[in-house]
Each structure stands twice: as C-alpha cells, then as structure tokens.
Amino acid sequence: MTDTPHPPTTPHRPGTDTRPPTATSQPPHTDAAQPSGTDARRPTAAPHPPGTDAAQPSGADSPWPARADTPPPTATSQPSGIDAAQPSGTDARRPTAAPHPPGTDTPQPTATPHPPGTDAAQPSGAPQQTLVSGTTRLYAVLGDPVGQVQSPGLLNPLFARLGIDAVLVPVHVRPADLETVVRGLQHVGNLDGLFVTVPHKTAAALLADRRSRTVEITGSANALRREPDGTWLAENFDGSGFVAGLVRAGHEPKGARVALVGAGGAGSAIAAALLDADVDRLTITDPDTPRLTALVDRLAAHWPGRVRAADRPPLADSDLAVNATPLGLRPDDPLPFAPQALPPGAVVADIIMKPRDTRLLREATAHGLPVHHGRHMLTGQIDSYRAFFGLHTP
C-alpha cells in the first residue's frame, strides 16, 4: 500500500487550536482556516454547467427570433445550479459548493461526505441531505439553455425530504445533439427519467417508445420515464400543471373564454389542458401558421367547436389571456399582447418564470388586472411528477 505524505506544517495562528490535525483535517496544501461555525469538510455540488445561457421560461418553445445570451449571474445571485426561491413550505435546497475562504488558493475538497459521527452542518429544521454515492439513481433535465431551469431546486429537496437516493442534474444539450445525448442517456443503467425544457419538447416526444394520450394530441413531451421492460414512455405535465396552478390561485378555468398566445411545446399542452378543464372557448395565435393549424386540427378532433386559430387574440371578450411564448424574458421584448385591451377582471397569465414579474404582468397590474405568475405552472406539476416517477418514501 502506498504511503501518504504527511501534510506540510501549517503555521499556528493566534486563537486557533494547537492540536495536531485529525483524520478529518484539510487535505495537503489547503488552508486550515474555515469560516467560523462551519465544519472542516463540506459536500460540494457539481458546478453550474459551462456554457449555460440566458433564462428561458420553463416549457416555452418558440419560433420567435433567438436572443443574445444574458450576462452570467453576479456574486450575489443564486448559487450555481440552483434556481429561483422555493415556494413557501418547501424544504431547503441541497447545499451547494461553498466558496473557498479568502486567502486560500486551493478549492475545497469535492463530494466528500461528513465522516461518521461528525456534524453534517445541516440548516436548522432541514432534512438530512442524501449524498451522491454508488447507489444514487439519476435524473436529468435537458435544455438549451439550462441556466434558467428550476426543477432541480424543487426536486432535489423533495428527494432529500423523502429519503430517496436520487439526484436531478441539468444537462445542456443543443438541438443538433439532442438525439445523440438522449440515446446515450437511455443506456445509462441507473438513470430513471428525463425532464425536457425549451426547445426540445417536440423532438423529445419522438425519442420515446410510447407516448401518452396528451403527448399524442399535443405533439410535445416534458418528461420521459424508463419502464420496467427498459422502454421509455413520454408524458407532458405542462398543461395539467398550468391548470392546477390556476385553480389553486382561485382562477377557475371552467366556462372561461381564453386567448392563448403560443402554439409551441408548452402552449400546445396548455391548450389541451384548458379544453379538458371545460373552458367555453379557446382561441390560439402563433406566427408559425403551419404549426398553429396542425395543433388546432388535432385539438378540434377531441374538442370540436371549442377551439379556433386567429391572427390576433380576441382580447376584448376574453376572461383569461395567456402568454406561452418567450416574449418577456428581456426588458426590451415587445409585449405578446396588449393587456389594456382586456375587459376589467380578466386574468393575465404568463408562463415565464424568470423574471417573475415580466413586463406583461407589470403592465397588467398597472391597469388593475389580476395576474398569474409563471412559477405556478411548475409547482402545479410536482404531484404529477411524484406519481409518474414513483417518488415515494422508501
């Protein structure tokens, strides 16, 4: 067995413990000093994938022109790999890699669990963290970009709270590489599922062996599950999550007249879910005319007489207007529709999650209209994800 060289002597600092380092001390060449109150060793999270791009709404596919990347988050932004703040009542997120203390030159040790018997330095009241090990099951969320995805910030705390040995990681995949990446991941033995975000929802649906009724109708998927026989099933929860979020917020869709802007992956799922929730009339607009026509034809086969395509949304007589496009990600984006054209009391909903208050929602509020934020669509899907992937207490 190879001997391990003794760590170089660290000069004694005033007020520090003069005892020799124990088996859990810092590895050679790292600074012995740790921030006050922290343990000597911290589990670190995988760094944010290089090359992630500007925030996109979860689930908003678009033919609208591509936009330049936004600057990377500043030092005061969320930790890399973790997204916007959790909704009230959710558990704390997994701790991410701590920045190494001022004056150190070597990064902190990575993926080192706390030795048995030591304190894990968990936040008060937080669930015990499930560390990644050789038995950990994997899930991946695929997008281009993925810097905006919020599912890891919701699902990883859920795994920890339920005691499930699993982790969800973001994977940045460009459209030209999607099939290669998905086919490779489908052969990873301990990968149980895939989440799909912009702009891959339509293409991902074609990479599954079987598709749910919702996927067959909408032509898009946001989740793929490995079946016991090794095949893959595609499902889409964007629409059901959106409707669940509406209902929880007190905006009952039944009997409503709805104007929906956007016929992409998320918009198509939202359209089907709204019709299934018994809206009285659904009018869809999208600049991609062939895509819009094909979607309306598929929907009309299941809900005849209640869905139509239009060049402009009929705002003057709508009870609910929904933006299912990427317009609103940037301050200088044009509005997807003019909220002031809606009647008093009409609800304005946006599926964009970052920024939380898009220009559309700000202007709707300024005109006295009730608004519905994008994050509700994701939080409304959590129960569906749990059932679909069998995420239950072991």
Side-chain angles (χ1 to χ4, degrees):
M1 181 170 65
T2 305
D3 293 328
T4 303
H6 189 73
T9 303
T10 304
H12 175 67
R13 294 188 176 89
T16 60
D17 195 340
T18 58
R19 292 173 293 178
T22 66
T24 59
S25 64
Q26 296 285 345
H29 309 303
T30 59
D31 195 326
Q34 291 283 335
S36 174
T38 60
D39 295 302
R41 307 165 80 173
R42 306 175 188 225
T44 62
H48 195 59
T52 54
D53 304 305
Q56 293 281 343
S58 173
D61 300 289
S62 172
W64 278 265
R67 298 169 181 80
D69 296 337
T70 55
T74 64
T76 57
S77 65
Q78 294 282 359
S80 191
I82 298 295
D83 305 297
Q86 309 238 18
S88 174
T90 59
D91 295 296
R93 290 167 287 194
R94 294 171 176 263
T96 58
H100 39 273
T104 59
D105 298 317
T106 306
Q108 298 288 325
T110 60
T112 307
H114 289 277
T118 61
D119 292 328
Q122 294 285 339
S124 176
Q128 180 68 30
Q129 180 191 7
T130 303
L131 298 176
V132 175
S133 69
T135 61
T136 300
R137 308 301 297 181
L138 302 180
Y139 295 84
V141 53
L142 313 179
D144 179 28
V146 288
Q148 83 289 348
V149 295
Q150 303 197 29
S151 48
L154 292 177
L155 271 296
N156 285 328
L158 177 66
F159 294 149
R161 178 164 59 86
L162 298 178
I164 297 173
D165 185 10
V167 63
L168 171 62
V169 297
V171 177
H172 186 191
V173 185
R174 301 195 184 280
D177 301 321
L178 180 67
E179 183 171 3
T180 300
V181 171
V182 170
R183 294 306 185 201
L185 290 173
Q186 287 175 338
H187 286 86
V188 174
N190 62 330
L191 186 133
D192 291 335
L194 297 170
F195 295 83
V196 186
T197 188
V198 62
H200 302 315
K201 296 186 179 186
T202 300
L206 302 176
L207 299 176
D209 300 295
R210 293 188 297 115
R211 285 162 284 278
S212 71
R213 176 177 179 269
T214 298
V215 175
E216 292 287 1
I217 294 172
T218 64
S220 68
N222 76 339
L224 277 70
R225 179 183 73 194
R226 186 195 298 274
E227 299 289 73
D229 62 359
T231 59
W232 286 80
L233 170 66
E235 184 55 276
N236 195 325
F237 299 113
D238 280 334
S240 61
F242 179 80
V243 169
L246 278 178
V247 172
R248 289 176 185 174
H251 307 307
E252 178 58 56
K254 184 175 182 178
R257 299 165 298 172
V258 183
L260 173 66
V261 180
S268 60
I270 290 170
L274 287 169
L275 290 165
D276 204 41
D278 291 329
V279 298
D280 181 64
R281 184 203 70 202
L282 176 66
T283 305
I284 309 173
T285 59
D286 191 286
D288 187 334
T289 302
R291 178 169 72 172
L292 173 62
T293 302
L295 173 62
V296 170
D297 288 346
R298 291 196 305 270
L299 295 172
H302 296 271
W303 296 279
R306 288 198 286 142
V307 59
R308 66 184 183 182
D311 294 332
R312 295 178 179 274
L315 300 176
D317 63 346
S318 292
D319 306 303
L320 169 65
V322 183
N323 175 38
T325 80
L327 294 176
L329 285 169
R330 297 176 179 275
D332 58 349
D333 278 345
L335 290 172
F337 54 84
Q340 64 269 26
L342 289 160
V347 177
V348 177
D350 202 329
I351 70 168
I352 291 177
M353 299 182 193
K354 291 166 63 177
R356 177 180 183 271
D357 291 296
T358 59
R359 179 186 167 199
L360 174 66
L361 296 185
R362 293 196 309 270
E363 293 205 9
T365 300
H367 284 88
L369 299 173
V371 299
H372 186 72
H373 293 89
R375 189 172 179 85
H376 294 296
M377 185 174 77
L378 178 58
T379 57
Q381 297 179 59
I382 297 301
D383 288 343
S384 297
Y385 285 144
R386 287 189 61 177
F388 183 66
F389 288 111
L391 304 178
H392 307 295
T393 304

